[in-house]
Amino acid sequence: MNGNPEKERALDRLKAEIELSFPGGKPVTGEGDPDASLVVVGEAPGRDEEITGHPFAGKAGRLLDE
């Protein structure tokens, strides 16, 4: 990310807090530019997302990339 360093640090702290409090598996948090004008939110992580820990992995990610 090449945006506001303060905002990026705050998001990193939030992500770390989520990871510490997640009851099991691998949490899937947001990625990308914190100043983006468009945000895509998924319903819930699927198998591919839980394995990788990244949103929109697998088929959903390929579809968005296209």
Side-chain angles (χ1 to χ4, degrees):
M1 290 185 273
N2 295 327
N4 179 329
E6 186 176 324
K7 189 181 288 186
E8 290 177 20
R9 282 191 299 276
L11 290 172
D12 287 342
R13 284 192 305 271
L14 179 59
K15 183 176 180 177
E17 196 171 315
I18 290 168
E19 290 171 350
L20 288 173
S21 65
F22 199 75
K26 185 182 286 189
V28 180
T29 58
E31 295 178 350
D33 184 351
D35 293 319
S37 58
L38 175 68
V39 176
V40 178
V41 178
E43 178 183 358
R47 183 180 59 85
D48 293 324
E49 289 81 6
E50 288 183 346
I51 290 170
T52 64
H54 298 283
F56 300 106
K59 186 176 180 181
R62 287 190 299 275
L63 181 62
L64 282 172
D65 287 342
E66 288 178 11

